[in-house]
Amino acid sequence: MMTIADLMDAFGGVTAFGRVIGKSQSAASEMKRRGAIHVRYWPAVIAAAAARGIPGITAERLMTLHAGEVPTPANDTGPSASEDAA
């Protein structure tokens, strides 16, 4: 399963994620705390995830994360916590 926090961690943390979206570490940290990334940043997040080999980050996936839905194993294509640690 992936959360917004997991996604940011997959980028290397809030400082790295902030660079991806052109915001400060504190702004990214607040997004992580809220568990929400404003939709205006989604294109940058999707493109950066693809460039970094972070699989399964699409607009649909981001919508699912923001809706608080828990993906089932059959449709969960994002990295797991164990994959992030590798």
Side-chain angles (χ1 to χ4, degrees):
M1 182 180 80
M2 177 180 273
T3 65
I4 296 297
D6 295 332
L7 174 62
M8 290 184 180
D9 291 344
F11 278 97
V14 292
T15 300
F17 185 81
R19 282 193 296 268
V20 164
I21 62 170
K23 301 300 278 183
S24 68
Q25 178 274 334
S26 62
S29 182
E30 181 61 18
M31 290 180 202
K32 185 175 183 177
R33 185 193 66 75
R34 286 191 329 257
I37 301 165
H38 194 283
V39 69
R40 80 175 126 236
Y41 303 118
W42 290 11
V45 171
I46 293 164
R52 289 169 171 77
I54 302 170
I57 305 305
T58 63
E60 182 176 352
R61 181 63 180 264
L62 290 170
M63 285 186 285
T64 300
L65 291 175
H66 283 79
E69 297 173 16
V70 178
T72 62
N75 68 9
D76 184 12
T77 58
S80 68
S82 62
E83 290 171 329
D84 289 338

